[in-house]
Amino acid sequence: MLCSRRMEIDPLARALNETLTREAPTVFALLSERGKRLFFPVEGILGQTSEAKGSAMNATIGIGFDDVGAPLALPSLLKSFNLPPEDVLPYAPSFGLPQLRERWGAMLREKNSSLSVRLSLPVVTAGITHALDVAAALFVDPNDSVILPDPAWDNYALTFSSLYGASLSSYPAFRGAQYNLAALEETIARSPGSKKIVLLNFPHNPSGYTLTVKEAQDLAQLLRRRAESGDTLLVLLDDAYFGLVYEEGILRESLLSILSNLHERILIAKIDGASKEDCAWGLRIGFLTFAQRGMTDAVATALEHKAAGAVRASVSNACRASQAALLSLYNSPSYDAEKVRTFSLLHERYREVRRALTDSEIANALQFLPFNSGYFFCVALPTWCNADVVRRALLRDHSIGVIAMGNLLRIAYSSLPRKHIEPVLQTIAQVCRSQNPPENR
Ligand SMILES: Cc1ncc(COP(=O)(O)O)c(C=O)c1O
């Protein structure tokens, strides 16, 4: 009896599903079985707590207060924070602090000024990885296929495949110096069923590539063609490295601006956060925001409730102190100038990488994947060369740490002082030259 009750869909989930079925059937069609069951429990402890807010004797809240209504606090703990106790110690709402959600939403519009559709209010997650997890909970069923570039950030496999049971359909990210949109289109067309889940990540980890403006427009045409031919698409935009673009002619706004008004059969889930945008990696604050052509308020709210339900079910809520610290950062008069300084540092290193690559010894020994943005670039080793052997040699003999992925070496200039860039590249070139092709062995 208990078992069958547990699998029933809660009436609140049913109400959200009815809204989606009525107002956005294509969004409903994209939900996973888990996503259909998800809801935010507005009527339980949280709802009753919220109703009792402001009551003279409030015995609902699951934290401790002292006799004058301040959160119980251990002073030695508070010493680590330059924020009032009420901004640090209580729980945050599962949706995130309302002011932070509003602020991030407003900043999204400022950063993407050509956006033409309404967005849902961002739901706060415990980092960008968690926003990916919440999106997977809402939309990914076992055996769904998630379409990804190759190479891709390896954590996608852990989330989508190992945790949610999806299969991964990869396409080669590059054809020569360009993003391989033809391979992406073919992979979408080949992927079974009409529900398609496409993950796009620019600036891209590991290559450090962002689409040119022309490629972004071609991508939009491609996705529109798929939607017009009957596919229903969920496009997950992992914008973790948003803003770090170093060349002209490269897309500066999120793909959200270009894709969100394309077609009713395309739902965009924008996944971003403070981790890289605000150098706040360990604060663990990410955001999940939805957009769809013609999205109504009710649909946006239903999606926010489902996302907040997934947050409530996994981590309950994201760190309040981190959210308060970010709000205070966004209100700081020097925020923009501070961001320009960190951007300039990374930009300078990017330019140094580009300069070092013109050195003929390096240029003759190494091939690169295209790159123009982000934290990384990748050396593509010849197929006979084992990247992990090269990685180990660099570490053992030269104290240089890089990441080996397939036949790629990923080099994070984001963490390399400028003066080390050329010597690191020279050493990589030297170690690569010392690897013998099979015919010379
Ligand atoms: C492409 C990409 N997405 C997401 C993340 C995760 O960000 P967070 O640390 O906020 O979980 C990373 C971190 O390396 C990343 O490279």
Side-chain angles (χ1 to χ4, degrees), residues 378-438:
C378 281
V379 172
L381 299 176
T383 42
W384 48 262
C385 202
N386 183 325
D388 203 49
V389 169
V390 175
R391 179 188 73 83
R392 284 168 206 250
L394 286 167
L395 196 55
R396 185 187 57 235
D397 303 334
H398 305 278
S399 198
I400 291 175
V402 294
I403 299 289
M405 310 170 73
N407 78 321
L408 298 175
L409 292 178
R410 188 192 77 176
I411 297 138
Y413 56 87
S414 57
S415 60
L416 265 187
R418 191 179 153 179
K419 65 174 188 216
H420 290 156
I421 288 173
E422 186 167 8
V424 163
L425 277 172
Q426 272 165 348
T427 311
I428 294 174
Q430 176 202 322
V431 171
C432 287
R433 271 198 307 269
S434 71
Q435 303 283 303
N436 286 325

Side-chain angles (χ1 to χ4, degrees), residues 243-385:
L244 299 173
V245 169
Y246 311 122
E247 299 279 2
E248 292 306 313
I250 307 302
L251 192 67
R252 299 260 157 182
E253 293 191 16
S254 165
L255 276 172
L256 181 71
S257 299
I258 295 187
L259 305 183
S260 53
N261 201 19
L262 271 186
H263 200 284
E264 289 75 10
R265 301 175 76 89
I266 301 177
L267 174 68
I268 310 289
K270 184 180 194 310
I271 289 154
D272 55 17
S275 307
K276 331 272 176 186
E277 285 195 47
D278 296 315
C279 305
W281 307 275
L283 293 193
R284 312 307 305 140
I285 298 298
F287 299 89
L288 176 60
T289 310
F290 299 102
Q292 183 209 19
R293 186 185 170 105
M295 184 168 71
T296 62
D297 288 350
V299 169
T301 304
L303 287 170
E304 288 164 30
H305 274 241
K306 284 189 178 280
V311 173
R312 174 71 176 156
S314 52
V315 300
S316 190
N317 51 79
C319 173
R320 181 171 199 128
S322 297
Q323 295 186 56
L326 287 173
L327 256 180
S328 144
L329 168 71
Y330 303 147
N331 289 330
S332 160
S334 53
Y335 173 53
D336 289 341
E338 290 171 25
K339 279 196 72 162
V340 168
R341 269 202 295 282
T342 55
F343 175 85
S344 303
L345 183 83
L346 294 178
H347 193 183
E348 255 179 40
R349 290 186 188 158
Y350 169 83
R351 281 204 300 260
E352 176 62 7
V353 171
R354 285 277 170 211
R355 192 198 62 73
L357 291 182
T358 58
D359 174 285
S360 59
E361 296 239 315
I362 297 174
N364 290 338
L366 301 179
Q367 304 277 313
F368 298 88
L369 293 189
F371 68 104
N372 51 30
S373 56
Y375 277 14
F376 314 108
F377 67 101
C378 281
V379 172
L381 299 176
T383 42
W384 48 262
C385 202

